[in-house]
Amino acid sequence: MKAYLRMVVFAALPPLAIGFFGLGIGYFVFGGSTFFRFPRENNENINHAMGLWGIFMPGFMQFIAGTYIFLGLTIFPAFRSTPILYMAGLAFTSYGVHWFALGYNKYKGADTTVDGFMAVGFLWISIIGAVVFGLGHDIPVTILFILLALVYINDIPASLFHSPVWERGKALFQLITGTWLMYLTFAATLNFALGYHLFL
């Protein structure tokens, strides 16, 4: 029964890979530039480039995925046969809107101190997601939410205290999470397009 429900979900939800891929690109761009300290200069042109990537990849692509899931849960009975999708819709939509703000702030070169308070709320969503998908026995997505929680645990002191150590820790977990998201994108795409049964 679990395998059947999983097949129904992935047959009905091709945008899942869009959300995974968008967030992964955001983490590679933001995490990579901080962790590798390249490009080093924090000038207006770099802020504009990073901000646009943040708005359009993790922001817009996750928002599309989350909106699609909530519309599916509202309109189509088949979606409601897998209520765990509610958590996926909440996460994609929330993280998408949050990346609109992160990307815009980066574009404008705004102060990031208040991001520490934002990270508290997103730490809670990450914990809730890990609990929901963990109890639902969906290990790959549980791993994703645990990694997201680690990003926000580091983000709280990194943003509030502008700590280079915590900032680098956040960047490291962004890169690890981005790599895991690329695998989820790969698995979701092959499972849907070619009927594979990869770990997802």
Side-chain angles (χ1 to χ4, degrees), residues 124-143:
W124 276 111
I125 289 183
S126 303
I127 292 169
I128 294 167
V131 170
V132 169
F133 284 100
L135 293 176
H137 307 291
D138 192 329
I139 303 305
V141 181
T142 303
I143 292 169

Side-chain angles (χ1 to χ4, degrees), residues 13 16 64-74 79 85 88-89 92:
L13 291 177
L16 280 177
I64 288 174
T67 302
Y68 186 95
I69 291 169
F70 274 129
L71 284 173
L73 285 167
T74 303
F79 278 42
L85 287 176
F92 275 131

